Amino acid sequence: MTTTVTTAPGARASGKEVSLQQQRARAAFWFLAPMLVMLVIVAAWPLFRSIMFSFTDATSDTIFNGQSEWVGFENYLTWRVRDNGEVRWRGVLADPDWWNAVWNTVRFSLISVSLETILGLLVALVLNAEFKGRGFVRAAILIPWAIPTIVSAKMWGWMLNDQFGIINNALMALNIIDTPIAWTARPDTAMIAVLIVDVWKTTPFMALLMLAGLQMIPRDMYEAARIDGIHPVKVFFRLTLPLLKPALMVAVIFRVLDALRIFDLIYVLTPRSEGTVTMSVISYLNLQQFGDYGEGSAQSTLLFLIIAVFVLLYIWLGRVDLSGERSK
Amino acid sequence: MIEFAGSLLLNLAYFAAFLAVTSLVVFPFYYAVLSSADRGEDRTGAGLFWNIMFWLVVVLICLIAIFPFYYAILTSLETGTAIFRVNYLPESFDLRNYESVLGGRSFVRSVLNSVFIAATTVIFALFLAVTASYALARVRFRGRGLLLMTILAVSMFPQIAVLSGLFELINWLGIYNTPWALILSYTIFTLPFTVWVLTTFMRDLPVEIEEAAIVDGATPWVIISKVFLPLLWPALVTTGLLAFIGAWNEFLFALTFTVDETKRTVPVAIALLSGASEQEIPWGPIMAASVIVTVPLIVLVLVFQRKIVAGLTAGGVKG
Amino acid sequence: MANIQLRNVTKSYGSVTVIKGIDLEIRRGEFMVFVGPSGCGKSTLLRLISGLESISTGDLYFDGERVNNVIPSKRGIAMVFQSYALYPHMNVYENMAFGMKLGGAGKGELDQRVRQSAKLLQIDHLLDRLPKQLSGGQRQRVAIGRAITRDPRVFLFDEPLSNLDAALRVATRLEIAKLHHDMRDVTMIYVTHDQVEAMTLADRICVLRDGRVEQVGTPTELYERPDNIFVAGFIGSPKMNFLEGEFAAAQGCSTLGVRSEHIDIVPQGAGMWTGTVVHAEDLGSDNYLFVDIGAKEPIIVRQPGKVTIPEGATISLQPRPGMLYRFDDTGRPVQAPLAAE
């Protein structure tokens, strides 16, 4: 087939042989090109256009016909001095709804990721222990992971239902509460509901990542510790945790980045609840529901910037070897 | 400003307290698990207590993991007023919810849409990813690490950040409200993911086999197609399966780029499943639909359990 | 079939130079062994000749033709790897045929060649097995068979025996030596860190250290006339004894070398050195005595047969005349004749 590449007549005619390294570099270029072109089309270009939209007054009526006007930073922040000298701020950065969404996102990410880390590590330790039925536990925890987010949102939405939900029923039977709680509707419990579902669904993923990290720790290290009579809790803090740190860091970063952009669970479980609207959700509502492409894009661009800064900080501060290049 | 700083501090304090309480609550369970290997056949009272704690942890994990799905199945088999009576054990076996879901044409249509879209996306992504990951894993060139990081960054993209630009592109291409809109947009996460995972798998193949092939006269393309692909097919299956699940579960793009009921994918169909009136949520059919789309996934995941765990961790942890 | 010339060849990875200017000629049909301690660059040198690594500066000629930029498969080489590197998904036949198939050989010719080389290596009964169904020794034969099938001008071996157990290593070594006799006009280059392999297989040996050639010569030349103290110490087993200080000064050099087999035990007081036996190793055919004569380390004396000298005994030692190697403080042999003789 393509073996002829190596003896391409052009190469011989010009009197220049193609060395192995040149051949491989050339092949690598052609191998990477389609993927890179595709990524530019579906990621880089749309991202660029979205950022451009955030500087225009585009709406759902003007987005496709090019009639939107360039408005500079007006979608982000602008001010007008009133006649009485009072300064009025406008734009996303002066919008309390936006700051509420930022706050919700941060709160959600911090709490969900810390819970998932603590519980995920517990599950990973269980799976790393030796006992009968370990295979069953591992299979069981894969179930929440495999269930589509929308389906889990609906399932839990039903279980958390205020009148007919099994959770309220159980809590009342146990005398923990005396009246049913409208979990997903009340602003103060909506976030709890979202957290429960997210932790339920994502802890298995964390556990599997950490289990892989745990299994890379040589068994004889534990045996040596046991022969030396070191207390298992001490072994955990002095040995397991430090050795697990790289795997733990990577898992936490992946999860934080994922949590910061959460959309579907919240959109389906607690639609339009003040207490759970995140950056992705508020941006989506502006774009799709209200057709305000300028402001919606400004919000999505801000989210992108936050995540980008976060990633850069993490790589720079933690010197995390995400690409696995260095460990090679 | 001072007010803001104050509330920030207060919230930080809350968060610290929350972490402390959580750790305290969880610690006994940790202890039970950590000391399980040492305990062995400890017959003393304390040993027995911690053994019970250990099994409590195991049972709780399984129960919490399985119960919601079990309850969904339970609900899906109930109709009428039975559905609104809370019961923990199966009481009725009524398939009418399934009939109503599968009887309506649009849901079956959604399933077919999802299968077609997810399968096409995955095949397309794997096709591009195999050659690209060979170049990334096996050829030394300047900027390789940076390129890998960029690809990883793309898969970490908030999808909302490209939504309006992608909307414009899809409209311009004239594929709005068709499966191709979703196939195109899903590439944004399936492609980086498959490239990433396949690169880690490809890196682990022995160097000398490739060198033997080079000495035998194999070009890079022959190395990929004749030598590496036959060795990599388990990895391909795993990666493909994971990407398939990702595409199958996607919601935001599917919600945005389709309007007609017949063009929807399964997650959108379930999210937008409505009853006779706005107020009445058809819980029975929703649960039936949920069970229908989830059972095949769970079966797949359980069958490919070991491979999936390997694939997930190849994407994540590198010792 | 090829004469290989290296002219001032270097190889650098970034700022690290691994091969530091090598001039070497490998003659047609010769069995050349590259030997040296780990990290000396012997494998890198082989990979430069194979074309798997690119040469940083300098020239490489095959039969007078510069091949620096020729891809490996066009150089007419075949290579046997340390880990065998068989294609795991192909059976033995396909493994051996892969290269020829890619080269566009006809079916009949291909089949004939594969069967011929399989017969030569006595693996013709294994042709439809997969590599994982073979033993380590069989895999190594298949790897060699695969190389033969390509009918190479130059045969390259990269530590091919180091993954085999001791008994198999000796048997396969013999096999390779036989191969060399059968394929008289194929140039063979063999990399090893084991000087016994080097001595037994080579027509000529090239001793490398730290990216440079220390000495090239026949096994006998290296053994009898080492160019420097490194080669003297590297070739020969057990290692040559080195004496410094007054022992060396007495012979007019800064380091005095003497091989363990060139030292005789003589009657008390008659020898050049006197010392106590601190340890004895009985290898059956030979006896190694470790004798402390007051030097930094005990010297090793090799005695054929069963010599029963108890540990702690004091003995007198005499090196054989003309078998002393004298080196100056740069490690080079001292040319001036010894005044005492």
Side-chain angles (χ1 to χ4, degrees):
Chain A
M1 29 175 62
T2 38
T3 40
T4 44
V5 170
T6 57
T7 53
R12 284 213 181 255
S14 65
K16 251 194 109 183
E17 290 281 357
V18 185
S19 78
L20 180 68
Q21 280 65 30
Q22 284 166 313
Q23 183 199 21
R24 285 169 70 80
R26 206 175 289 173
F29 174 78
W30 287 111
F31 286 168
L32 286 169
M35 177 206 62
L36 291 176
V37 168
M38 206 56 217
L39 283 185
V40 168
I41 292 174
V42 297
W45 173 253
L47 178 68
F48 169 74
R49 288 298 296 164
S50 296
I51 295 174
M52 295 304 282
F53 280 135
S54 72
F55 295 109
T56 68
D57 62 357
T59 64
S60 48
D61 297 329
T62 59
I63 176 171
F64 299 133
N65 58 21
Q67 281 172 4
S68 50
E69 298 269 328
W70 183 267
V71 295
F73 280 93
E74 210 164 273
N75 287 320
Y76 291 93
L77 194 60
T78 178
W79 68 87
R80 201 179 298 149
V81 184
R82 280 185 168 179
D83 297 338
N84 58 9
E86 191 189 342
V87 182
R88 241 182 94 77
W89 295 90
R90 292 194 52 202
V92 171
L93 292 174
D95 181 0
D97 287 346
W98 165 254
W99 287 110
N100 177 48
V102 172
W103 169 234
N104 281 341
T105 312
V106 171
R107 200 158 55 127
F108 168 78
S109 305
L110 272 180
I111 300 178
S112 69
V113 174
S114 18
L115 279 178
E116 282 154 21
T117 311
I118 293 171
L119 296 176
L121 186 53
L122 180 65
V123 175
L125 286 170
V126 168
L127 290 176
N128 201 39
E130 272 163 40
F131 63 96
K132 259 182 224 146
R134 182 165 65 159
F136 179 80
V137 179
R138 193 174 71 169
I141 66 152
L142 277 170
I143 290 176
W145 175 80
I147 293 178
T149 312
I150 301 305
V151 171
S152 38
K154 284 291 180 192
M155 270 167 28
W156 280 92
W158 169 236
M159 285 168 59
L160 291 165
N161 189 286
D162 49 346
Q163 296 170 57
F164 318 112
I166 193 167
I167 306 258
N168 277 337
N169 182 284
L171 290 177
M172 279 164 73
L174 294 171
N175 279 327
I176 295 174
I177 53 172
D178 43 355
T179 49
I181 297 176
W183 290 96
T184 55
R186 267 171 56 178
D188 56 335
T189 54
M191 183 55 94
I192 296 176
V194 169
L195 282 168
I196 290 174
V197 183
D198 193 72
V199 168
W200 176 76
K201 177 156 172 48
T202 324
T203 300
F205 175 75
M206 285 292 255
L208 290 180
L209 288 190
M210 289 189 234
L211 177 63
L214 282 177
Q215 283 172 344
M216 271 184 245
I217 301 174
R219 289 260 157 190
D220 15 341
M221 206 121 59
Y222 293 110
E223 269 149 33
R226 200 181 307 164
I227 289 166
D228 290 349
I230 302 171
H231 195 270
V233 173
K234 207 169 182 181
V235 173
F236 174 72
F237 282 109
R238 293 277 166 81
L239 227 139
T240 315
L241 262 192
L243 287 171
L244 193 63
K245 210 182 126 203
L248 200 72
M249 290 279 276
V250 174
V252 167
I253 295 170
F254 274 78
R255 272 308 300 150
V256 169
L257 294 177
D258 223 27
L260 285 174
R261 59 180 177 175
I262 184 168
F263 171 79
D264 34 12
L265 173 62
I266 288 172
Y267 184 83
V268 173
L269 187 66
T270 60
R272 258 159 255 175
S273 169
E274 273 287 295
T276 56
V277 169
T278 57
M279 289 189 266
S280 279
V281 174
I282 196 172
S283 168
Y284 179 80
L285 292 177
N286 269 318
L287 292 171
Q288 281 309 103
Q289 233 85 335
F290 312 128
D292 189 344
Y293 275 80
E295 193 172 320
S297 299
Q299 288 167 333
S300 70
T301 303
L302 285 173
L303 172 59
F304 171 74
L305 285 179
I306 291 171
I307 290 186
V309 167
F310 187 84
V311 172
L312 290 178
L313 265 182
Y314 229 120
I315 293 174
W316 183 61
L317 283 178
R319 304 245 174 260
V320 184
D321 185 18
L322 280 176
S323 68
E325 280 272 280
R326 251 172 289 160
S327 61
K328 188 65 192 174
Chain B
M1 207 60 213
I2 293 167
E3 193 190 341
F4 175 73
S7 86
L8 193 69
L9 271 180
L10 188 67
N11 277 302
L12 273 178
Y14 278 149
F15 182 60
F18 164 76
L19 278 187
V21 170
T22 312
S23 308
L24 270 181
V25 170
V26 175
F27 186 78
F29 298 111
Y30 263 84
Y31 184 84
V33 175
L34 287 174
S35 58
S36 68
D38 282 9
R39 229 168 18 245
E41 294 294 298
D42 188 350
R43 292 261 175 245
T44 64
L48 203 64
F49 172 77
W50 289 115
N51 258 334
I52 291 170
M53 281 294 275
F54 177 80
W55 286 102
L56 187 67
V57 175
V58 172
V59 169
L60 270 180
I61 289 173
C62 294
L63 197 67
I64 295 172
I66 296 172
F67 185 78
F69 188 59
Y70 158 81
Y71 193 62
I73 298 175
L74 208 88
T75 309
S76 72
L77 295 171
E78 294 170 351
T79 51
T81 53
I83 209 167
F84 299 118
R85 265 198 325 269
V86 174
N87 53 316
Y88 294 83
L89 296 170
E91 283 173 7
S92 80
F93 189 82
D94 187 339
L95 291 173
R96 260 180 294 167
N97 287 324
Y98 290 89
E99 279 164 24
S100 88
V101 165
L102 294 172
R105 268 192 55 231
S106 66
F107 183 75
V108 179
R109 191 61 210 259
S110 300
V111 173
L112 294 178
N113 284 342
S114 274
V115 170
F116 173 71
I117 290 167
T120 313
T121 310
V122 168
I123 290 168
F124 179 63
L126 282 180
F127 184 75
L128 291 182
V130 166
T131 51
S133 59
Y134 171 79
L136 286 169
R138 289 316 190 121
V139 183
R140 268 185 306 223
F141 57 88
R142 224 176 301 144
R144 179 170 68 169
L146 191 70
L147 193 58
L148 268 169
M149 285 311 295
T150 314
I151 289 166
L152 183 66
V154 174
S155 71
M156 289 285 120
F157 250 36
Q159 288 167 17
I160 192 84
V162 292
L163 196 71
S164 44
L166 207 51
F167 199 13
E168 187 197 38
L169 180 73
I170 281 167
N171 212 59
W172 182 75
L173 289 170
I175 54 174
Y176 179 65
N177 199 27
T178 68
W180 301 106
L182 299 187
I183 291 169
L184 183 77
S185 52
Y186 287 2
T187 306
I188 197 174
F189 59 87
T190 49
L191 185 56
F193 174 78
T194 46
V195 168
W196 182 260
V197 177
L198 283 182
T199 301
T200 53
F201 276 123
M202 197 88 79
R203 248 198 293 241
D204 292 341
L205 292 178
V207 185
E208 289 200 337
I209 288 190
E210 187 184 0
E211 290 180 342
I214 291 173
V215 171
D216 268 346
T219 56
W221 172 249
V222 174
I223 294 174
I224 295 179
S225 58
K226 295 266 177 68
V227 181
F228 277 6
L229 267 192
L231 299 178
L232 269 180
W233 74 261
L236 280 181
V237 171
T238 311
T239 318
L241 192 66
L242 289 171
F244 185 91
I245 291 175
W248 179 271
N249 293 354
E250 204 283 337
F251 181 65
L252 176 59
F253 290 152
L255 184 66
T256 313
F257 300 139
T258 57
V259 272
D260 295 345
E261 221 171 316
T262 55
K263 297 291 195 297
R264 281 177 188 159
T265 60
V266 163
V268 180
I270 290 179
L272 301 183
L273 204 66
S274 55
S277 70
E278 271 288 303
Q279 276 69 41
E280 191 190 335
I281 303 172
W283 287 112
I286 287 179
M287 290 303 132
S290 300
V291 172
I292 292 171
V293 302
T294 310
V295 164
L297 279 190
I298 290 183
V299 169
L300 271 181
V301 166
L302 293 187
V303 168
F304 288 98
Q305 224 188 101
R306 282 176 186 281
K307 290 202 183 306
I308 283 184
V309 173
L312 277 180
T313 48
V317 200
K318 263 268 145 188
Chain C
M1 273 186 281
N3 164 298
I4 298 169
Q5 270 185 306
L6 290 90
R7 291 235 186 100
N8 200 18
V9 168
T10 70
K11 173 66 184 175
S12 318
Y13 298 99
S15 59
V16 186
T17 305
V18 190
I19 300 292
K20 297 166 180 165
I22 285 189
D23 287 289
L24 183 66
E25 177 151 8
I26 302 166
R27 296 174 203 137
R28 186 170 307 208
E30 181 172 48
F31 199 116
M32 170 66 90
V33 174
F34 294 165
V35 71
S38 57
C40 70
K42 54 189 189 295
S43 273
T44 309
L45 191 59
L46 189 78
R47 293 166 61 81
L48 291 178
I49 293 172
S50 74
L52 287 171
E53 300 275 353
S54 62
I55 293 169
S56 298
T57 65
D59 300 300
L60 173 66
Y61 297 93
F62 277 31
D63 285 333
E65 185 196 352
R66 188 173 183 271
V67 292
N68 282 39
N69 287 328
V70 177
I71 60 166
S73 55
K74 302 278 164 208
R75 293 186 185 193
I77 57 158
M79 193 154 168
V80 177
F81 294 89
Q82 184 176 0
S83 65
Y84 325 129
L86 300 177
Y87 311 119
H89 58 295
M90 299 184 193
N91 65 27
V92 171
Y93 185 94
E94 289 162 334
N95 258 290
M96 291 171 72
F98 188 62
M100 280 191 80
K101 215 188 266 172
L102 289 178
K107 253 214 145 68
E109 185 200 353
L110 189 150
D111 190 65
Q112 190 205 333
R113 282 208 60 86
V114 169
R115 290 189 189 283
Q116 193 185 331
S117 32
K119 197 158 202 149
L120 187 69
L121 286 161
Q122 294 150 17
I123 47 173
D124 39 350
H125 60 293
L126 302 172
L127 282 176
D128 45 8
R129 296 234 192 128
L130 285 173
K132 63 170 178 241
Q133 297 164 317
L134 303 176
S135 70
Q138 287 170 331
R139 283 180 211 184
Q140 190 54 274
R141 278 160 183 271
V142 174
I144 295 171
R146 178 171 70 179
I148 293 174
T149 312
R150 302 199 64 231
D151 193 19
R153 296 194 285 173
V154 182
F155 222 129
L156 307 175
F157 296 91
D158 189 3
E159 308 214 16
L161 304 185
S162 51
N163 276 358
L164 300 176
D165 64 46
L168 213 48
R169 206 151 50 214
V170 174
T172 315
R173 196 168 77 202
L174 207 70
E175 202 87 29
I176 291 174
K178 222 181 85 200
L179 204 66
H180 175 50
H181 287 293
D182 292 345
M183 307 171 79
R184 259 300 164 204
D185 48 358
V186 177
T187 311
M188 297 192 174
I189 306 177
Y190 187 105
V191 165
T192 180
H193 61 266
D194 178 355
Q195 54 97 17
V196 178
E197 259 173 51
M199 297 292 280
T200 50
L201 283 170
D203 292 330
R204 284 199 303 157
I205 295 175
C206 172
V207 182
L208 289 155
R209 180 170 64 145
D210 201 16
R212 288 199 173 83
V213 174
E214 290 289 327
Q215 190 175 359
V216 183
T218 63
T220 321
E221 274 168 7
L222 295 193
Y223 184 80
E224 290 179 351
R225 291 188 297 283
D227 255 358
N228 53 49
I229 201 165
F230 174 77
V231 176
F234 195 80
I235 301 289
S237 171
K239 202 172 175 292
M240 184 185 277
N241 297 300
F242 288 116
L243 299 166
E244 286 165 356
E246 54 186 287
F247 297 101
Q251 304 295 321
C253 59
S254 74
T255 307
L256 181 69
V258 56
R259 296 201 186 274
S260 58
E261 57 267 45
H262 297 152
I263 305 173
D264 293 320
I265 301 171
V266 291
Q268 209 57 254
M272 193 183 278
W273 306 309
T274 307
T276 49
V277 178
V278 290
H279 179 64
E281 282 176 0
D282 185 1
L283 278 80
S285 62
D286 290 324
N287 236 326
Y288 293 166
L289 300 176
F290 292 73
V291 186
D292 182 5
I293 58 165
K296 244 189 268 166
E297 281 171 27
I299 64 171
I300 305 173
V301 180
R302 181 170 172 178
Q303 291 293 310
K306 297 246 175 279
V307 185
T308 42
I309 296 175
E311 281 175 25
T314 303
I315 53 174
S316 193
L317 300 172
Q318 176 66 37
R320 293 202 189 138
M323 292 298 185
L324 284 176
Y325 297 90
R326 297 176 301 141
F327 301 97
D328 61 23
D329 50 4
T330 62
R332 294 267 157 212
V334 175
Q335 298 300 339
L338 193 59
E341 281 183 357

